[in-house]
Amino acid sequence: MSDPALPRRPTLDLRAFTPARVALGRSGASVPTKALLGFTLDHARARDAVHAAFDTRRLAADLGALGLAVTEVRSQAVDRKDYLRRPDLGRRLDAGSAGVLAQAAPAPCRLALVIGDGLSAAAVHAHAAALVSRLLPLLAEGDDVAIDHAVVASGARVALGDEIGALLGARMVLMLIGERPGLSAPDSLGAYLTFAPKPGRSDAERNCVSNIHHAGLSYDEAAFKIAWLVREGLARQVSGVALKDESADRAPRRIGVALPE
């Protein structure tokens, strides 16, 4: 007896489950004009996101509306060209910023919040304040990891948070930063957590919650994961490969002050 034929699933069906470029069709030896124009537009959006200006005043105002004091700093990258050509300069503070931070935090803290432009200031503008609004109430529960201060960093790479966290005397640093734009998501935000931050920490010593945007990880889901990692990281005094995300057994709750999205 022969096996029953499997139901045929056209490749076109995949487009209902992914923004990836599948089943585009063809026109002769090339793709259709509509698909080509769509690719060109998404590529342009990704390039624009990389070169977008970082509106620190707008971000500071949004964070201030959430009750956070804001300190602005910048890396040693003097402009965007410098930032893209010399990643190492984006990992260290300029001299003036180090002095500003030393005055801004007279007492050590458990968690330092840093928000940097990274490779997509557009992602920070679109999602950072909304994510923080969901995160603050979750952190304030239970162990009371209260945050009343945020650092906004221009020309930032992920590792810049290590130096900032060390200067603030933080047990852990949370860096929210614009991720490298892709053709399907030019405004994706990432969250990086490092226990006992100091210059020289490796990526293996960080936890990452990535792909935070409207078509990716929601603000509530991301805030729940971040809050869980913060609490567990502080309790176990670890981060990175030593701290696995085991938050999936608890469903995230919708909580916090909603900002326009």
Side-chain angles (χ1 to χ4, degrees):
M1 182 176 177
S2 61
D3 294 332
L6 295 174
R8 188 169 178 272
R9 294 292 300 273
T11 308
L12 190 61
D13 288 358
L14 293 177
R15 297 176 65 179
F17 302 100
T18 175
R21 284 175 165 77
V22 296
L24 297 178
R26 66 179 182 178
S27 178
S30 185
V31 296
T33 300
K34 182 178 180 180
L36 177 60
L37 292 177
F39 174 86
T40 304
L41 176 61
D42 287 343
H43 187 258
R45 285 171 173 163
R47 289 176 60 89
D48 287 347
V50 170
H51 294 283
F54 190 24
D55 191 346
T56 57
R57 288 188 178 181
R58 168 187 163 188
L59 179 58
D62 289 342
L63 296 174
L66 297 175
L68 298 178
V70 177
T71 300
E72 295 185 27
V73 299
R74 66 171 304 109
S75 73
Q76 294 178 5
V78 297
D79 55 32
R80 202 61 178 172
K81 288 183 178 179
D82 209 22
Y83 173 83
L84 295 173
R85 292 173 179 172
R86 292 283 306 276
D88 57 308
L89 297 181
R91 300 185 183 113
R92 298 305 301 266
L93 289 169
D94 67 8
S97 295
V100 168
L101 277 181
Q103 297 177 355
C109 60
R110 298 184 70 191
L111 179 67
L113 173 62
V114 183
I115 304 177
D117 49 357
L119 285 166
S120 176
V124 179
H125 297 155
H127 309 303
L131 175 60
V132 172
S133 74
R134 269 70 162 189
L135 181 60
L136 292 179
L138 293 178
L139 291 175
E141 292 180 351
D143 296 337
D144 190 23
V145 186
I147 296 179
D148 57 10
H149 178 245
V151 177
V152 173
S154 300
R157 300 279 177 173
V158 172
L160 188 68
D162 297 338
E163 183 177 4
I164 294 173
L167 289 171
L168 294 177
R171 294 295 290 155
M172 177 178 281
V173 63
L174 167 61
M175 165 72 92
L176 303 181
I177 193 167
E179 297 181 308
R180 179 178 285 106
L183 292 176
S184 60
D187 62 344
S188 181
L189 188 72
Y192 293 81
L193 297 109
T194 310
F195 182 79
K198 62 180 180 180
R201 288 295 191 198
S202 71
D203 289 340
E205 296 173 291
R206 313 185 203 286
N207 291 90
C208 176
V209 178
S210 64
N211 222 28
I212 305 168
H213 56 91
H214 292 309
L217 198 65
S218 72
Y219 301 145
D220 291 308
E221 291 172 317
F224 183 83
K225 286 180 175 291
I226 293 168
W228 189 92
L229 288 167
V230 167
R231 282 208 174 83
E232 291 299 316
L234 289 172
R236 304 181 196 183
Q237 301 185 42
V238 293
S239 61
V241 296
L243 178 62
K244 305 300 182 184
D245 182 2
E246 299 168 348
S247 64
D249 59 337
R250 294 178 58 193
R253 293 169 293 162
R254 185 169 294 276
I255 187 170
V257 180
L259 293 182
E261 298 177 8

